């Protein structure tokens, strides 16, 4: 499943690159990449969100922050369904899903190339993208892992 928001613009070969990751690395169940934020013109990048690349880096990063750029995630539907799919967790449904997938042993990978232009004009988007963006609200680590006590000591 490839997802994106209706107001974002995918790079022309986004899905091809992500499918290549799944074909070359069948152990990967979640694949994302770099997102370029813009306010009015997609050719004028205001900020980039560069997530960790390898599964080991993703697992470490996930202990404090969301390790995937949700606007350009592609995932294996069977893996998502195996951990209960998206569940209600206000503003953190995706992060909670990725944590459950990583805890269940599913692997992730983030392509270190821009895959999507994301328009960032709403305060909601600016706030939710803060962990990666240099031009967003100040970031405070999410207390999701403490409140749920879901992360093992990988």
């Amino acid at each position: 499943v490839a997802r994106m928001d209706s107001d974002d613009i995918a790079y022309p070969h986004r899905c091809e690159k992500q499918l290549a990751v799944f074909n070359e690395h069948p152990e990967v169940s979640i694949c994302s990449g770099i997102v370029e934020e813009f306010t009015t013109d997609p050719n004028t990048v205001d900020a980039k969100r560069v997530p960790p690349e390898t599964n080991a880096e993703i697992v470490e990063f996930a202990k404090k922050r969301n390790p995937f750029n949700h606007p350009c995630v592609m995932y294996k539907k069977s893996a998502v369904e195996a951990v209960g799919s998206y569940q209600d967790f206000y503003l953190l449904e995706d992060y909670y899903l990725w944590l459950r997938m990583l805890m269940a042993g599913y692997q992730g990978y983030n392509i270190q190339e821009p895959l999507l232009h994301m328009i960032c004009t709403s305060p909601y988007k600016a706030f939710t993208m803060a962990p990666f963006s240099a031009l967003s609200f100040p970031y405070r680590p999410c207390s999701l892992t403490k409140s749920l006590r879901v992360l093992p000591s990988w």
Side-chain angles (χ1 to χ4, degrees):
V1 173
R3 68 145 334 267
M4 67 182 273
D5 296 336
S6 63
D7 58 349
D8 296 336
I9 304 164
Y11 272 78
H13 301 291
R14 171 210 163 175
C15 290
E16 183 180 333
K17 289 180 181 191
Q18 289 178 290
L19 287 172
V21 169
F22 289 121
N23 288 331
E24 294 168 18
H25 303 281
E27 70 280 7
V28 171
S29 295
I30 317 162
C31 181
S32 188
I34 295 172
V35 167
E36 295 179 332
E37 298 178 0
F38 71 97
T39 49
T40 56
D41 177 9
N43 297 314
T44 304
V45 175
D46 297 321
K48 284 186 180 182
R49 294 193 301 137
V50 181
E53 181 177 6
T54 67
N55 192 66
E57 294 167 339
I58 287 167
V59 166
E60 189 60 33
F61 195 87
K63 293 177 183 181
K64 296 189 179 188
R65 298 185 267 183
N66 192 333
F68 299 102
N69 282 322
H70 195 231
C72 65
V73 161
M74 184 181 282
Y75 56 77
K76 292 180 181 176
K77 182 179 176 182
S78 58
V80 168
E81 289 177 337
V83 298
S85 301
Y86 287 94
Q87 295 177 5
D88 189 30
F89 202 107
Y90 184 66
L91 296 179
L92 299 171
E93 292 89 351
D94 58 321
Y95 184 20
Y96 184 42
L97 173 59
W98 313 145
L99 289 175
R100 294 191 331 271
M101 290 178 75
L102 293 170
M103 287 174 38
Y106 293 102
Q107 293 188 30
Y109 182 79
N110 283 307
I111 297 170
Q112 296 300 294
E113 297 177 38
L115 298 180
L116 184 125
H117 293 286
M118 182 181 76
I119 189 163
C120 203
T121 55
S122 75
Y124 170 77
K125 266 197 173 179
F127 176 73
T128 59
M129 299 304 136
F132 294 112
S133 176
L135 301 176
S136 296
F137 295 97
Y139 174 70
R140 291 190 181 142
C142 173
S143 62
L144 174 66
T145 56
K146 289 181 183 176
S147 64
L148 293 178
R149 304 213 187 285
V150 294
L151 283 177
S153 58
W154 285 309

